Amino acid sequence: MKSIVIHAAKDLRIDERETGALGPGEVMIAIARGGICGSDLHYYNHGGFGDVRIREPMTLGHEVSGHVIALGDGVTGLAVGQLVAVSPSRPCYSCRYCREGRHNHCLNMRFYGSAMPFPHIQGAFRETLVAEASQCVSAEGLTPGEAAMGEPLAVCLHGVRQAGELLGKRVLVTGCGPIGLLCILAARRAGAGEIVATDLSDFTLGMAGAAGADRTVNMADASDDLAGYHADKGHFDILLECSGAAPALRAAIPALRPGGIIVQLGLGGDMTLPVQAMTARELQLRGSFRFHPEFATGLSLMQKGLIDVKPLITHTFSLNEAVAAFEMAGDRTQAMKAQIAFN
Ligand SMILES: [Zn+2]
Ligand SMILES: [Zn+2]
């Protein structure tokens, strides 16, 4: 079975790996699509991020969908041939945080394609995957590409949940990669009254407008900024920070109203915060990390036609073109979500 394996920065290989045996409660899946995520790109371009480094070869990937090809003993509710989205979230269900319902903070999390623990958790960019049945959500009615968007959509639904009530609220989204765009879709679905999006790329801002942003602002353009929102102590109730870039956050602060909420989704390493300005406005900073129940919610929203992710999938490459796919996925002048077709 072919797998996409990172050995070191810029050393991505298609290696043969064992599929593994099918145990009770598990399903074997022929992977159909895999979406390349920002974290996959960090491993590819830099060999990791922050303190997290690749210390052994690791199969990448955690945004996958596929068709069920075999059922293990005791599996019910899934059928051979069925298209499923596979959640990469594999909490233990028994640690203190799992028992509190905070599965995304599981002490024994085995999230696909993560070099945080050692040995690393191998990822899902492979032709065949054995997964727990509980990770699989029916994607009936969706394309394999849409189904593979279930993971980033879940990240954004969790982020929007951190913001609290959005009905009629004014929302600023900084960073218009796939997470920013999915946040726009999720915020609109949650009832946001006004959505403004910022980025440095005209291409991604065009897509943000198409996704439903009421206005887009290119912060790289000297004639365009957020100054128009500074009057009367600011304009926005909520900031969904998706860039992980300190300048984006810094520029957004004066546009936030007193009591405004910042939800930080972007993982940009150490960002410095303008604490004085945040304190004087009584802003609230809320982190958002991964997801758990939102995975199934996202699939359901797509199936009902309430969130359409199809326009975000700009490129699909074959497995043999994996390196080209990773190069394209990082190009914010022409790519939004790049996916790999496995079968
Ligand atoms: Zn992802
Ligand atoms: Zn746990």
Side-chain angles (χ1 to χ4, degrees), residues 232-283:
D232 299 333
K233 287 196 168 187
H235 179 83
F236 297 101
D237 305 294
I238 313 275
L239 167 63
L240 301 174
E241 207 301 296
C242 301
S243 73
L249 175 61
R250 189 169 289 272
I253 301 283
L256 293 177
R257 295 157 60 94
I261 295 167
I262 301 168
V263 179
Q264 184 66 40
L265 289 101
L267 293 168
D270 287 329
M271 293 166 73
T272 11
L273 294 171
V275 171
Q276 173 83 13
M278 291 170 63
T279 303
R281 278 168 200 269
E282 299 187 330
L283 299 181

Short mmCIF file of all heavy atoms in Angstrom, two decimals, residues 232-283:
data_model
loop_
_atom_site.label_atom_id
_atom_site.label_comp_id
_atom_site.label_asym_id
_atom_site.label_seq_id
_atom_site.Cartn_x
_atom_site.Cartn_y
_atom_site.Cartn_z
N ASP A 232 -15.51 55.73 17.25
CA ASP A 232 -16.39 55.36 18.37
C ASP A 232 -15.95 54.07 19.05
O ASP A 232 -16.76 53.20 19.38
CB ASP A 232 -17.86 55.23 17.91
CG ASP A 232 -18.39 56.54 17.34
OD1 ASP A 232 -17.88 57.62 17.75
OD2 ASP A 232 -19.28 56.50 16.47
N LYS A 233 -14.66 53.93 19.24
CA LYS A 233 -14.08 52.77 19.95
C LYS A 233 -14.29 51.45 19.24
O LYS A 233 -14.38 50.40 19.88
CB LYS A 233 -14.61 52.68 21.38
CG LYS A 233 -14.06 53.73 22.32
CD LYS A 233 -14.35 53.31 23.76
CE LYS A 233 -13.58 54.16 24.75
NZ LYS A 233 -13.74 53.66 26.11
N GLY A 234 -14.43 51.50 17.91
CA GLY A 234 -14.44 50.24 17.17
C GLY A 234 -15.80 49.80 16.69
O GLY A 234 -16.83 50.37 17.04
N HIS A 235 -15.79 48.76 15.86
CA HIS A 235 -16.97 48.39 15.09
C HIS A 235 -17.36 46.92 15.27
O HIS A 235 -18.54 46.59 15.36
CB HIS A 235 -16.65 48.66 13.61
CG HIS A 235 -17.74 48.30 12.66
ND1 HIS A 235 -18.80 49.14 12.38
CD2 HIS A 235 -17.94 47.19 11.90
CE1 HIS A 235 -19.61 48.56 11.49
NE2 HIS A 235 -19.11 47.38 11.19
N PHE A 236 -16.38 46.02 15.35
CA PHE A 236 -16.68 44.58 15.31
C PHE A 236 -16.90 44.00 16.71
O PHE A 236 -16.22 44.35 17.67
CB PHE A 236 -15.55 43.82 14.60
CG PHE A 236 -15.40 44.21 13.17
CD1 PHE A 236 -14.39 45.09 12.78
CD2 PHE A 236 -16.28 43.75 12.20
CE1 PHE A 236 -14.25 45.48 11.45
CE2 PHE A 236 -16.15 44.13 10.87
CZ PHE A 236 -15.13 44.99 10.50
N ASP A 237 -17.84 43.07 16.78
CA ASP A 237 -18.10 42.36 18.05
C ASP A 237 -17.16 41.17 18.23
O ASP A 237 -16.85 40.78 19.35
CB ASP A 237 -19.55 41.83 18.06
CG ASP A 237 -20.56 42.93 17.82
OD1 ASP A 237 -20.68 43.82 18.68
OD2 ASP A 237 -21.23 42.90 16.76
N ILE A 238 -16.81 40.56 17.11
CA ILE A 238 -16.06 39.29 17.13
C ILE A 238 -14.92 39.35 16.13
O ILE A 238 -15.11 39.80 14.99
CB ILE A 238 -16.97 38.10 16.69
CG1 ILE A 238 -18.33 38.11 17.39
CG2 ILE A 238 -16.21 36.78 16.82
CD1 ILE A 238 -18.38 37.47 18.72
N LEU A 239 -13.76 38.87 16.54
CA LEU A 239 -12.66 38.64 15.61
C LEU A 239 -12.38 37.14 15.55
O LEU A 239 -12.13 36.51 16.59
CB LEU A 239 -11.39 39.37 16.07
CG LEU A 239 -10.08 38.97 15.36
CD1 LEU A 239 -10.13 39.28 13.87
CD2 LEU A 239 -8.88 39.65 16.01
N LEU A 240 -12.45 36.58 14.36
CA LEU A 240 -12.01 35.19 14.15
C LEU A 240 -10.63 35.29 13.50
O LEU A 240 -10.51 35.60 12.31
CB LEU A 240 -13.01 34.44 13.25
CG LEU A 240 -14.45 34.37 13.79
CD1 LEU A 240 -15.39 33.73 12.75
CD2 LEU A 240 -14.51 33.60 15.11
N GLU A 241 -9.59 35.07 14.30
CA GLU A 241 -8.22 35.27 13.83
C GLU A 241 -7.70 33.95 13.25
O GLU A 241 -7.41 33.02 13.98
CB GLU A 241 -7.35 35.75 15.00
CG GLU A 241 -6.15 36.59 14.55
CD GLU A 241 -5.21 35.86 13.60
OE1 GLU A 241 -4.60 34.85 14.01
OE2 GLU A 241 -5.10 36.29 12.43
N CYS A 242 -7.57 33.92 11.94
CA CYS A 242 -7.23 32.67 11.24
C CYS A 242 -5.85 32.74 10.59
O CYS A 242 -5.46 31.80 9.90
CB CYS A 242 -8.27 32.37 10.17
SG CYS A 242 -9.95 32.22 10.83
N SER A 243 -5.12 33.82 10.76
CA SER A 243 -3.84 33.95 10.06
C SER A 243 -2.67 33.44 10.89
O SER A 243 -1.66 33.00 10.33
CB SER A 243 -3.59 35.42 9.69
OG SER A 243 -3.26 36.17 10.85
N GLY A 244 -2.78 33.51 12.20
CA GLY A 244 -1.64 33.18 13.04
C GLY A 244 -0.51 34.18 12.90
O GLY A 244 0.62 33.91 13.31
N ALA A 245 -0.81 35.35 12.33
CA ALA A 245 0.21 36.38 12.10
C ALA A 245 -0.03 37.55 13.04
O ALA A 245 -1.11 38.14 13.05
CB ALA A 245 0.16 36.84 10.65
N ALA A 246 0.99 37.91 13.82
CA ALA A 246 0.84 38.98 14.79
C ALA A 246 0.40 40.30 14.17
O ALA A 246 -0.45 40.99 14.73
CB ALA A 246 2.15 39.15 15.57
N PRO A 247 0.91 40.69 12.99
CA PRO A 247 0.46 41.98 12.42
C PRO A 247 -1.04 42.00 12.13
O PRO A 247 -1.68 43.04 12.27
CB PRO A 247 1.28 42.10 11.13
CG PRO A 247 2.48 41.24 11.34
CD PRO A 247 2.00 40.09 12.20
N ALA A 248 -1.60 40.86 11.73
CA ALA A 248 -3.04 40.81 11.44
C ALA A 248 -3.84 41.04 12.71
O ALA A 248 -4.82 41.80 12.72
CB ALA A 248 -3.40 39.47 10.82
N LEU A 249 -3.43 40.40 13.79
CA LEU A 249 -4.12 40.57 15.07
C LEU A 249 -3.98 42.01 15.56
O LEU A 249 -4.95 42.64 15.98
CB LEU A 249 -3.56 39.57 16.09
CG LEU A 249 -4.09 39.70 17.51
CD1 LEU A 249 -5.59 39.48 17.57
CD2 LEU A 249 -3.40 38.68 18.42
N ARG A 250 -2.76 42.53 15.48
CA ARG A 250 -2.49 43.88 15.97
C ARG A 250 -3.35 44.90 15.23
O ARG A 250 -3.92 45.81 15.83
CB ARG A 250 -0.99 44.17 15.78
CG ARG A 250 -0.49 45.44 16.41
CD ARG A 250 1.04 45.47 16.37
NE ARG A 250 1.61 44.52 17.31
CZ ARG A 250 1.87 44.79 18.59
NH1 ARG A 250 1.58 45.99 19.08
NH2 ARG A 250 2.40 43.88 19.37
N ALA A 251 -3.46 44.73 13.91
CA ALA A 251 -4.24 45.69 13.11
C ALA A 251 -5.73 45.59 13.39
O ALA A 251 -6.47 46.55 13.19
CB ALA A 251 -3.98 45.43 11.62
N ALA A 252 -6.16 44.43 13.88
CA ALA A 252 -7.59 44.23 14.12
C ALA A 252 -8.06 44.85 15.44
O ALA A 252 -9.22 45.25 15.57
CB ALA A 252 -7.91 42.74 14.12
N ILE A 253 -7.16 44.95 16.42
CA ILE A 253 -7.56 45.37 17.78
C ILE A 253 -8.31 46.71 17.79
O ILE A 253 -9.40 46.79 18.40
CB ILE A 253 -6.33 45.44 18.71
CG1 ILE A 253 -5.62 44.08 18.79
CG2 ILE A 253 -6.70 45.98 20.10
CD1 ILE A 253 -6.27 43.05 19.64
N PRO A 254 -7.81 47.76 17.12
CA PRO A 254 -8.53 49.05 17.20
C PRO A 254 -9.89 49.03 16.51
O PRO A 254 -10.70 49.94 16.70
CB PRO A 254 -7.59 50.04 16.48
CG PRO A 254 -6.28 49.34 16.37
CD PRO A 254 -6.58 47.88 16.34
N ALA A 255 -10.15 48.00 15.70
CA ALA A 255 -11.44 47.90 15.02
C ALA A 255 -12.46 47.11 15.83
O ALA A 255 -13.60 46.94 15.41
CB ALA A 255 -11.25 47.25 13.64
N LEU A 256 -12.05 46.61 17.02
CA LEU A 256 -12.96 45.82 17.86
C LEU A 256 -13.61 46.72 18.91
O LEU A 256 -12.95 47.54 19.55
CB LEU A 256 -12.20 44.70 18.57
CG LEU A 256 -11.64 43.58 17.69
CD1 LEU A 256 -10.86 42.59 18.52
CD2 LEU A 256 -12.77 42.87 16.96
N ARG A 257 -14.90 46.53 19.12
CA ARG A 257 -15.65 47.30 20.11
C ARG A 257 -15.26 46.87 21.53
O ARG A 257 -14.82 45.76 21.74
CB ARG A 257 -17.15 47.04 19.95
CG ARG A 257 -17.75 47.52 18.68
CD ARG A 257 -19.02 46.76 18.38
NE ARG A 257 -20.01 46.93 19.44
CZ ARG A 257 -20.98 47.87 19.41
NH1 ARG A 257 -21.08 48.68 18.38
NH2 ARG A 257 -21.84 47.96 20.40
N PRO A 258 -15.48 47.74 22.51
CA PRO A 258 -15.25 47.33 23.91
C PRO A 258 -16.05 46.05 24.22
O PRO A 258 -17.20 45.92 23.82
CB PRO A 258 -15.77 48.52 24.72
CG PRO A 258 -15.58 49.69 23.80
CD PRO A 258 -15.87 49.16 22.42
N GLY A 259 -15.39 45.12 24.92
CA GLY A 259 -16.04 43.85 25.24
C GLY A 259 -16.00 42.84 24.12
O GLY A 259 -16.56 41.76 24.25
N GLY A 260 -15.35 43.20 23.02
CA GLY A 260 -15.28 42.30 21.87
C GLY A 260 -14.55 41.00 22.20
O GLY A 260 -13.78 40.92 23.17
N ILE A 261 -14.82 39.99 21.39
CA ILE A 261 -14.25 38.66 21.62
C ILE A 261 -13.30 38.32 20.48
O ILE A 261 -13.67 38.44 19.30
CB ILE A 261 -15.37 37.61 21.70
CG1 ILE A 261 -16.25 37.88 22.94
CG2 ILE A 261 -14.80 36.19 21.74
CD1 ILE A 261 -17.54 37.09 22.93
N ILE A 262 -12.11 37.89 20.85
CA ILE A 262 -11.13 37.41 19.86
C ILE A 262 -11.08 35.89 19.98
O ILE A 262 -10.78 35.37 21.05
CB ILE A 262 -9.73 37.98 20.15
CG1 ILE A 262 -9.75 39.50 20.10
CG2 ILE A 262 -8.70 37.40 19.17
CD1 ILE A 262 -8.47 40.14 20.65
N VAL A 263 -11.38 35.20 18.89
CA VAL A 263 -11.18 33.75 18.87
C VAL A 263 -9.93 33.48 18.03
O VAL A 263 -9.90 33.80 16.83
CB VAL A 263 -12.40 33.01 18.28
CG1 VAL A 263 -12.14 31.51 18.26
CG2 VAL A 263 -13.64 33.32 19.09
N GLN A 264 -8.92 32.91 18.66
CA GLN A 264 -7.67 32.64 17.96
C GLN A 264 -7.68 31.23 17.42
O GLN A 264 -7.62 30.26 18.18
CB GLN A 264 -6.49 32.85 18.93
CG GLN A 264 -5.12 32.68 18.29
CD GLN A 264 -4.83 33.76 17.26
OE1 GLN A 264 -5.16 34.93 17.47
NE2 GLN A 264 -4.24 33.39 16.14
N LEU A 265 -7.77 31.10 16.10
CA LEU A 265 -7.70 29.79 15.45
C LEU A 265 -6.34 29.56 14.82
O LEU A 265 -5.86 28.44 14.76
CB LEU A 265 -8.77 29.66 14.36
CG LEU A 265 -10.21 29.52 14.82
CD1 LEU A 265 -10.94 30.85 14.68
CD2 LEU A 265 -10.93 28.45 14.03
N GLY A 266 -5.73 30.63 14.30
CA GLY A 266 -4.44 30.50 13.63
C GLY A 266 -3.37 30.11 14.63
O GLY A 266 -3.32 30.65 15.73
N LEU A 267 -2.54 29.14 14.22
CA LEU A 267 -1.45 28.70 15.08
C LEU A 267 -0.16 29.28 14.51
O LEU A 267 0.43 28.69 13.61
CB LEU A 267 -1.39 27.17 15.12
CG LEU A 267 -2.57 26.48 15.80
CD1 LEU A 267 -2.54 24.99 15.52
CD2 LEU A 267 -2.55 26.73 17.30
N GLY A 268 0.24 30.41 15.01
CA GLY A 268 1.39 31.10 14.41
C GLY A 268 2.62 31.09 15.28
O GLY A 268 3.45 31.97 15.17
N GLY A 269 2.72 30.11 16.17
CA GLY A 269 3.86 30.14 17.08
C GLY A 269 3.63 31.23 18.11
O GLY A 269 2.49 31.50 18.49
N ASP A 270 4.68 31.88 18.57
CA ASP A 270 4.54 32.91 19.59
C ASP A 270 4.16 34.23 18.96
O ASP A 270 4.93 34.84 18.24
CB ASP A 270 5.85 33.06 20.38
CG ASP A 270 6.05 31.87 21.31
OD1 ASP A 270 5.05 31.32 21.78
OD2 ASP A 270 7.21 31.50 21.54
N MET A 271 2.94 34.70 19.26
CA MET A 271 2.51 36.01 18.79
C MET A 271 2.54 36.96 19.99
O MET A 271 2.09 36.61 21.07
CB MET A 271 1.07 35.93 18.26
CG MET A 271 0.94 35.11 16.99
SD MET A 271 -0.79 34.70 16.62
CE MET A 271 -1.42 36.28 16.06
N THR A 272 3.04 38.16 19.77
CA THR A 272 2.99 39.14 20.85
C THR A 272 1.65 39.86 20.80
O THR A 272 1.13 40.14 19.74
CB THR A 272 4.11 40.20 20.70
OG1 THR A 272 4.69 40.06 19.43
CG2 THR A 272 5.13 40.12 21.77
N LEU A 273 1.09 40.10 21.96
CA LEU A 273 -0.23 40.72 22.04
C LEU A 273 -0.11 42.16 22.56
O LEU A 273 0.64 42.41 23.49
CB LEU A 273 -1.11 39.94 23.01
CG LEU A 273 -1.48 38.51 22.62
CD1 LEU A 273 -2.16 37.81 23.78
CD2 LEU A 273 -2.39 38.53 21.42
N PRO A 274 -0.88 43.07 21.99
CA PRO A 274 -0.94 44.44 22.52
C PRO A 274 -1.84 44.47 23.76
O PRO A 274 -3.00 44.87 23.70
CB PRO A 274 -1.51 45.25 21.36
CG PRO A 274 -2.25 44.28 20.52
CD PRO A 274 -1.70 42.91 20.78
N VAL A 275 -1.30 44.01 24.89
CA VAL A 275 -2.11 43.78 26.08
C VAL A 275 -2.74 45.08 26.59
O VAL A 275 -3.90 45.09 27.04
CB VAL A 275 -1.26 43.10 27.18
CG1 VAL A 275 -1.99 43.06 28.50
CG2 VAL A 275 -0.87 41.70 26.74
N GLN A 276 -1.99 46.17 26.51
CA GLN A 276 -2.54 47.46 26.98
C GLN A 276 -3.83 47.81 26.23
O GLN A 276 -4.86 48.11 26.85
CB GLN A 276 -1.48 48.54 26.76
CG GLN A 276 -1.94 49.95 27.03
CD GLN A 276 -1.86 50.30 28.50
OE1 GLN A 276 -1.24 49.57 29.28
NE2 GLN A 276 -2.49 51.39 28.89
N ALA A 277 -3.76 47.75 24.91
CA ALA A 277 -4.94 48.11 24.10
C ALA A 277 -6.08 47.12 24.34
O ALA A 277 -7.25 47.51 24.39
CB ALA A 277 -4.56 48.14 22.62
N MET A 278 -5.73 45.86 24.52
CA MET A 278 -6.77 44.84 24.75
C MET A 278 -7.44 45.05 26.10
O MET A 278 -8.66 44.91 26.23
CB MET A 278 -6.15 43.44 24.67
CG MET A 278 -5.72 43.07 23.25
SD MET A 278 -4.74 41.55 23.19
CE MET A 278 -5.92 40.36 23.80
N THR A 279 -6.64 45.39 27.10
CA THR A 279 -7.19 45.60 28.44
C THR A 279 -8.11 46.81 28.46
O THR A 279 -9.21 46.77 29.02
CB THR A 279 -6.04 45.78 29.44
OG1 THR A 279 -5.19 44.64 29.37
CG2 THR A 279 -6.56 45.94 30.86
N ALA A 280 -7.66 47.90 27.83
CA ALA A 280 -8.45 49.13 27.85
C ALA A 280 -9.80 48.95 27.15
O ALA A 280 -10.76 49.64 27.46
CB ALA A 280 -7.65 50.26 27.19
N ARG A 281 -9.87 48.02 26.24
CA ARG A 281 -11.14 47.75 25.57
C ARG A 281 -11.88 46.58 26.20
O ARG A 281 -12.92 46.15 25.69
CB ARG A 281 -10.87 47.40 24.09
CG ARG A 281 -10.70 48.60 23.21
CD ARG A 281 -10.15 48.20 21.85
NE ARG A 281 -9.58 49.37 21.21
CZ ARG A 281 -10.26 50.18 20.41
NH1 ARG A 281 -11.48 49.91 20.09
NH2 ARG A 281 -9.68 51.26 19.92
N GLU A 282 -11.32 46.00 27.21
CA GLU A 282 -11.91 44.82 27.87
C GLU A 282 -12.20 43.71 26.86
O GLU A 282 -13.26 43.09 26.87
CB GLU A 282 -13.19 45.22 28.64
CG GLU A 282 -12.90 46.23 29.73
CD GLU A 282 -14.11 46.51 30.62
OE1 GLU A 282 -15.26 46.42 30.13
OE2 GLU A 282 -13.90 46.83 31.80
N LEU A 283 -11.24 43.50 25.99
CA LEU A 283 -11.40 42.43 25.00
C LEU A 283 -11.18 41.08 25.66
O LEU A 283 -10.43 40.95 26.63
CB LEU A 283 -10.40 42.61 23.85
CG LEU A 283 -10.53 43.91 23.06
CD1 LEU A 283 -9.48 43.95 21.94
CD2 LEU A 283 -11.92 44.09 22.48
#
